[in-house]
Amino acid sequence: MFDKFRDECGVFAIYGHPEAAKLSYLGLYALQHRGQESAGIAASDGKEIRCHKSMGHVAEIFTPPVLAGLDGVAAIGHTRYSTAGDTVLLNAQPFAVACNKGQVAVAHNGNITNAAELRAELESEGSIFQASSDTEVILHLVAKSRERTLPAALRDALLQLEGAYSLVFLARDRVIVARDPHGFRPLAMGQMELSGGRHAYVFASETCAFDLINAVYLNDVEPGEMAIVGPEGVIRQQFAPARDRAQCVFEHVYFSRPDSLVFGRPVQESREMLGRLLAREAPADADLVVPVPDSGVSAAIGYAAESGLPFRQALIRNHYVGRTFIEPSQAIRDFGVKLKLNPVRHLLEGRSVVLVDDSIVRGTTSRKIVRMVRQAGAREVHLRISCPPTLSPCFYGVDTPLRSELIAANHSIEEIRRFVEADSLAYLSMASLRRAVNDLDQEYCYACYSGVYPTDLVNIEELMSAKKRRG
Ligand code: AMP
């Protein structure tokens, strides 16, 4: 429910539409949940790439005059809440540069796990970096490549990267997108029909971005695949052999919108199934099922349907909470949570409640919410979590904190129950999580729940200290 750990990004790209920047704006608008810190769009009119980026929300950044300055039929966009790099405008994306391969802009979702080594090597050879984000490394590798064409230089660069990336590039006359060989982060491809039988092609982290602009989902960019879209149409090619798939399961548990297809699967279906399986594994003798909005809603619907208990929205979320607020000098207890959530007392008074949320990370927010429900009169609070205990940090683009801060890495479920002050606490099992996302062929990454990382993390110390620096 809290944005404080949110640390991902959303990417969008479009080629072949006269209003490319406007549609990118709408695409980013639909992807706003993937990052609220900064956003940017780079557009090309065939001669020049122009880029506008700023801190803040998509709707505030892209005013009509700003969009009017972003002409052209091709554009890429990004919405960000940092996974690497400090939270300053310098790190906002897309990054646009002019290099020996021409003008190029890039936007990235994921986390390059060997970025620090690559950067040190590049710096020792004379490269100068403006930002602390690992995405800039990619541009330097492209510039350094001896290949002459941009797609070949990109391939050259991508083959040196390790970790997670769904990337969108913009050149003056084309859009190129690529997904890492494990397919950690999503990247969907869609199509729009234009007059005269022409088509525009779009790419986005989630298909909810397509719905808003009436684009039709075609398929996913495959792990290790690159799609090049230009005047000659779409060319798709494997730039690297696909490795064992490692699609981020947390996209289905929490991160993506339920109205999206992610990895080709409806997120809503996974979430409802998570709730249903949770109800089977961890029933509760209660009067009603209450979600923690918004993250627990779909799973709570599944839990209620399976258990036969009534579903009630007894916590109401204020969706308009901004970055700045004024707190009275006399501190109000749990002010932050109260700003966002308020209980519906008459639904809770005297009732035994199943409270459903997607995860417990540090436990501090969950404790405040359990307290809030109890103070509103609930007789019992049974907390149900629609995934297994979060045991390990993510190095592939989700900002779970280090093990030392993950309550489940250091405490038993009974200890967590006591900490969050619930009458009972249960998590979903790994087997049920796999089942809920229909992972028949072991195509998902579960590292945050299992501690088993699908890639070698050579510089794990550096990755951990980067997380620590971000706090
Ligand atoms: P806490 O009890 O303090 O660990 O906070 C748990 C809340 O954090 C739950 O409501 C989750 O939905 C939310 N949460 C978990 N992971 C993330 C994440 N990566 N980004 C934002 N919120 C998250």
Side-chain angles (χ1 to χ4, degrees):
M1 169 277 351
F2 251 12
D3 296 331
K4 65 182 170 179
F5 313 118
R6 176 155 295 181
D7 201 44
E8 280 218 9
C9 305
V11 291
F12 184 89
I14 180 163
Y15 181 88
H17 197 288
E19 294 190 296
K22 258 192 200 161
L23 294 180
S24 301
Y25 159 76
L26 294 174
L28 293 183
Y29 195 90
L31 297 175
Q32 182 75 80
H33 61 288
R34 297 184 70 89
Q36 298 93 48
E37 186 183 88
S38 67
I41 294 173
S44 174
D45 60 4
K47 296 188 203 83
E48 200 187 338
I49 291 178
R50 293 189 188 85
C51 184
H52 183 85
K53 52 190 178 178
S54 183
M55 306 300 281
H57 288 185
V58 177
E60 295 151 10
I61 298 169
F62 294 101
T63 57
V66 166
L67 285 171
L70 294 169
D71 275 348
V73 299
I76 60 170
H78 190 255
T79 171
R80 170 174 195 267
Y81 199 119
S82 63
T83 24
D86 304 323
T87 55
V88 290
L89 183 56
L90 264 186
N91 283 315
Q93 298 189 24
F95 285 119
V97 292
C99 66
N100 52 1
K101 312 289 181 308
Q103 261 193 313
V104 49
V106 60
H108 170 211
N109 173 208
N111 195 33
I112 311 291
T113 53
N114 63 338
E117 286 94 331
L118 290 171
R119 185 181 170 125
E121 217 174 289
L122 287 161
E123 279 178 333
S124 74
E125 291 163 9
S127 294
I128 295 168
F129 284 81
Q130 293 182 7
S132 57
S133 156
D134 53 1
T135 310
E136 212 183 349
V137 168
I138 303 168
L139 286 178
H140 280 279
L141 292 175
V142 170
K144 230 188 76 182
S145 168
R146 287 180 197 281
E147 295 286 352
R148 291 230 212 94
T149 66
L150 181 63
L154 275 179
R155 198 174 312 121
D156 216 11
L158 298 182
L159 289 174
Q160 298 175 61
L161 305 181
E162 279 164 29
Y165 53 87
S166 283
L167 288 162
V168 293
F169 294 91
L170 178 69
R172 270 188 316 152
D173 59 349
R174 66 199 62 226
V175 156
I176 306 176
V177 305
R179 194 160 162 230
D180 71 71
H182 288 281
F184 280 103
R185 309 253 64 94
L187 189 59
M189 175 175 179
Q191 181 177 286
M192 298 172 78
E193 296 230 358
L194 306 181
S195 59
R198 288 170 308 127
H199 289 112
Y201 291 94
V202 287
F203 300 88
S205 301
E206 293 181 38
T207 59
C208 64
F210 297 164
D211 298 338
L212 182 56
I213 58 174
N214 286 334
V216 179
Y217 167 70
L218 292 177
N219 46 41
D220 281 358
V221 176
E222 290 295 308
E225 189 185 39
M226 181 187 268
I228 306 160
V229 198
E232 64 286 343
V234 186
I235 298 168
R236 297 178 71 156
Q237 52 184 237
Q238 283 297 129
F239 66 87
R243 314 265 290 270
D244 290 344
R245 268 190 201 242
Q247 302 165 161
C248 171
V249 77
F250 197 60
E251 291 277 353
H252 276 265
V253 169
Y254 169 86
F255 209 75
S256 298
R257 268 175 41 166
D259 52 335
S260 286
L261 290 173
V262 166
F263 310 126
R265 176 177 172 77
V267 174
Q268 172 65 24
E269 207 172 304
S270 300
R271 285 212 189 135
E272 218 174 297
M273 200 59 193
L274 292 168
R276 281 186 179 274
L277 295 175
L278 187 60
R280 278 184 223 163
E281 283 184 357
D285 184 13
D287 303 315
L288 56 146
V289 177
V290 173
V292 175
D294 294 325
S295 51
V297 172
S298 305
I301 289 170
Y303 193 103
E306 190 69 22
S307 63
L309 295 173
F311 171 89
R312 289 286 179 275
Q313 293 211 273
L315 286 170
I316 302 301
R317 179 169 170 184
N318 182 340
H319 285 100
Y320 309 99
V321 178
R323 242 152 231 287
T324 51
F325 50 80
I326 299 158
E327 189 173 359
S329 53
Q330 198 98 53
I332 295 176
R333 196 165 182 222
D334 301 337
F335 185 69
V337 167
K338 281 184 180 153
L339 265 182
K340 274 210 166 178
L341 293 179
N342 199 34
V344 183
R345 282 173 186 279
H346 85 271
L347 288 177
L348 295 169
E349 264 163 6
R351 303 285 169 77
S352 173
V353 174
V354 180
L355 191 62
V356 180
D357 203 357
D358 70 283
S359 48
I360 299 177
V361 182
R362 294 180 169 91
T364 47
T365 312
S366 308
R367 165 148 87 171
K368 288 172 186 171
I369 296 171
V370 171
R371 267 191 201 155
M372 177 181 272
V373 170
R374 212 184 287 282
Q375 276 165 8
R379 182 163 46 82
E380 287 172 12
V381 185
H382 302 280
L383 185 58
R384 296 292 178 268
I385 303 297
S386 63
C387 67
T390 306
L391 298 174
S392 304
C394 175
F395 299 112
Y396 307 115
V398 176
D399 193 19
T400 38
L402 292 179
R403 240 174 229 134
S404 54
E405 289 176 59
L406 289 170
I407 189 166
N410 303 294
H411 295 277
S412 68
I413 293 182
E414 171 55 19
E415 284 168 338
I416 302 170
R417 181 197 69 74
R418 261 185 269 138
F419 179 79
V420 299
E421 299 172 1
D423 293 282
S424 75
L425 166 66
Y427 289 85
L428 192 70
S429 69
M430 275 292 267
S432 288
L433 174 59
R434 279 184 208 279
R435 196 169 150 204
V437 294
N438 197 29
D439 186 13
L440 302 175
D441 299 318
Q442 312 230 334
E443 294 190 325
Y444 281 81
C445 172
Y446 300 93
C448 52
Y449 307 120
S450 66
V452 178
Y453 294 97
T455 64
D456 288 337
L457 297 167
V458 184
N459 54 349
I460 189 134
E461 298 296 323
E462 165 58 34
L463 289 167
M464 296 213 294
S465 56
K467 263 188 187 286
K468 224 181 252 162
R469 280 199 298 277
R470 292 199 302 281

